Structures are given as C-alpha cells and as structure tokens.
Amino acid sequence: MTKPRSVVAVLVLLGMAGGFGIPAPARAAMTFALSQSGADVLVTASGPLNVATLTYVGDSQDRQVAVFPNDPSILQADGAFSVYAATFVGPSGGFGPGGNTSPASWSVTGSNLGFFGGEGGVAVPVGYVSGSPLGTTFIMRDQTLGGLGVKTGSYTWTLQDDSGRTVDSITVTIPVFEDVPVPAPASAALLAVGLAGLVGASRRRRAA
C-alpha cells in the first residue's frame, strides 16, 4: 500500500501527540468471525470501536482483503480509511501460524475495517464517529481456513491508548473445521505495508 504524501505530514505533527487528560470512553467490543462457506472463506466483523483517545495516524487507501494469523491482522479495504494507533494486549501467537493471505479474487459488503496487532493499529472508515456501530463482510474466494493457517478458538486482544488505558477489545473467532490443503494464493502481497509504516513511524516519533 502506498503511503500518501499528506499522511507523511500528519506523522510529523503526531510526533508530539499524546494524552491530554481525556476521560477513557466506555469499552466496547469488535468481533471478527471467520468461517468456511463452500469453497470460500467468509469473514464477518461487527461492533463499535472506541477511538476517542487513540492517536490518529492518518488516512490511507488500498484495495485488498487480507488475513494474517500470526501477525495478527485482518483487513478489508476498498478505498480510503483512517488509521489509529493502539497497543494490543493478548495472545502473542496470533490466531494461528499462517502468514499473510491476500487473494486475487474477493468481494466485500460494508465498511472499510481492520486491525494490525503486530504494528499496533486499527483501520476505520474515514470520518468515523467513535463508538458508532461498524460492520463488514468479505469473501476470500477459493480459500479454506486450513489454507489460511488459522487455529480453532476464540482470541481476544484489549486495546490500550498511549497512556496505557484499556479502551476497547477485538475478538477473532474460528470454528472447528476440517484442515483441507489448498493451492497457494494467487496474490499474497504484504498486508497493509503502508499502514504498518504509518503506525511504526508514529510510535517511533512519540518515543523519541
């Protein structure tokens, strides 16, 4: 994903960003549910996200869906989205041993949405109002849960802002499934490379 020039300017401004005594919002919960649907993998996400005290990193743009179990990350992007930095606290091994899968064939219904546990960030629609309901469904065609390298279970990460306050949580659920080998994905570009750079650069500047 290419990082827009405008976001670089945002990152410079965010170098001094931090908490300003804003009360922590009520905790909500976002859930990403993965399931097998015939020859495809179905990913459904629902719930609000509290981003009121998270650091806004900038806006970016992409067209892909991707699942990266051992990062852990999930992304549905079909255009522009906003990125907020957050610290993820939870299972260190992600939701399976699989690497990134970003298939060439996919379809989506709903909002641009995602999370990036390894780099520490969430993606929401541009102009998103903190705490508002979110929802999206995307289909990864000609994929299986086994092929993605996920593991059956429920995995929850709490999200912390820069002051260490827990403001929200993200849960990934994966049902029991038969592990069926599948051919390698036609496309497996790095998941949200540009976004990872945005979040990482923001954190480095705040730590300096």
Side-chain angles (χ1 to χ4, degrees), residues 156-176:
T156 298
W157 292 267
T158 56
L159 308 184
Q160 295 180 349
D161 62 17
D162 287 341
S163 70
R165 291 173 294 193
T166 296
V167 298
D168 214 328
S169 66
I170 289 177
T171 296
V172 175
T173 64
I174 301 161
V176 175

Side-chain angles (χ1 to χ4, degrees), residues 122-207:
V122 295
V124 295
V126 173
Y128 175 65
V129 177
S130 180
S132 300
L134 286 167
T136 192
T137 298
F138 65 84
I139 298 172
M140 307 176 76
R141 302 198 184 283
D142 301 318
Q143 305 293 324
T144 69
L145 293 173
L148 295 182
V150 302
K151 293 179 65 176
T152 296
S154 179
Y155 306 83
T156 298
W157 292 267
T158 56
L159 308 184
Q160 295 180 349
D161 62 17
D162 287 341
S163 70
R165 291 173 294 193
T166 296
V167 298
D168 214 328
S169 66
I170 289 177
T171 296
V172 175
T173 64
I174 301 161
V176 175
F177 62 91
E178 182 180 358
D179 191 359
V180 180
V182 295
S187 172
L190 288 176
L191 170 63
V193 173
L195 174 85
L198 294 181
V199 175
S202 176
R203 290 190 178 281
R204 286 192 294 274
R205 285 187 172 88
R206 293 200 303 278

